[in-house]
Amino acid sequence: MTTTTTTANADGTAERQKVRDPIHHVAYSFEQGDGHMWVHTWFEDGGHLPEHFHPSLEEYWEVVEGTARVKLDGAWRDLRSSDGPVRVAPNVRHELKNESGSPLYAKSKVIPGGRLEEFLTEASKAAEEGLFNARNMPTSWKGAMWIAKFAYRFRDETVMCSPPPAVQRVVLPLVVRLSR
């Protein structure tokens, strides 16, 4: 079962429910907006979001607390709260990681919100079950079947860059057909 936590803030109000990914060392919460969604992401030291891109989603990443290393279209840079939001256009490869030695809290406005909450929640659950490793490669036959079906189902919104997308376009439909 996916780990979710709800705690009280100092003022007694409820904090958002978090979904934790133990492989990538991040936790998420989600806030729906009008035509968009906020994804709140807490990175442990060493936590990261592997390289990926969104064919149909646009993101605006901003750091709230800490410093993130952000790779946009092949170039790494530091991102701090003073930098404000950074736009990630559709189809731009990006990756985020926390190498700061301290926790990092960042948020992303996703337009449209699409099914990203479902994607991240389901991936976190699979991470807890050990179905894949930190490079997003399956750890078993069950993991291979899950990854193929999962990646194929979300391919219009989120594409991981490992294994390479060209390989995924050939292999995923075949594996999905074989698994039926």
Side-chain angles (χ1 to χ4, degrees):
M1 173 158 195
T2 303
T3 302
T4 56
T5 58
T6 304
T7 59
N9 292 320
D11 64 3
T13 60
E15 184 177 298
R16 284 182 198 88
Q17 191 171 37
K18 292 180 184 176
V19 176
R20 184 172 183 283
D21 175 342
I23 289 178
H24 297 109
H25 305 286
V26 296
Y28 308 102
S29 73
F30 308 94
E31 181 182 348
Q32 297 297 327
D34 187 19
H36 68 276
M37 175 177 55
W38 285 102
V39 179
H40 301 269
T41 308
W42 291 265
F43 295 75
E44 297 171 17
D45 184 34
H48 79 285
L49 301 180
E51 189 174 32
H52 63 284
F53 62 91
H54 304 285
S56 59
L57 306 176
E58 177 178 32
E59 293 181 312
Y60 290 86
W61 274 96
E62 63 183 292
V63 168
V64 179
E65 294 175 18
T67 301
R69 293 286 294 155
V70 178
K71 181 179 177 185
L72 286 175
D73 223 5
W76 284 100
R77 66 176 271 203
D78 285 337
L79 183 62
R80 295 174 181 81
S81 60
S82 59
D83 296 324
V86 172
R87 180 177 184 256
V88 181
N91 292 308
V92 172
R93 290 177 177 228
H94 56 288
E95 179 176 356
L96 289 94
K97 58 184 170 180
N98 179 9
E99 299 176 327
S100 70
S102 301
L104 164 67
Y105 166 46
K107 63 182 182 176
S108 177
K109 183 176 185 178
V110 183
I111 305 168
R115 298 176 295 145
L116 193 55
E117 179 176 358
E118 181 183 354
F119 176 91
L120 293 171
T121 300
E122 189 173 329
S124 295
K125 180 178 184 238
E128 280 196 349
E129 294 175 13
L131 296 179
F132 62 92
N133 63 26
R135 291 184 18 234
N136 299 318
M137 300 302 290
T139 55
S140 65
W141 179 251
K142 179 181 176 184
M145 293 296 100
W146 175 83
I147 284 176
K149 291 176 185 177
F150 176 77
Y152 190 75
R153 187 163 33 103
F154 289 101
R155 71 191 181 283
D156 61 325
E157 284 191 2
T158 303
V159 178
M160 303 308 293
C161 295
S162 174
V167 171
Q168 293 181 50
R169 283 191 294 277
V170 173
V171 173
L172 292 179
L174 297 173
V175 175
V176 169
R177 272 190 237 126
L178 287 173
S179 69
R180 290 183 186 158

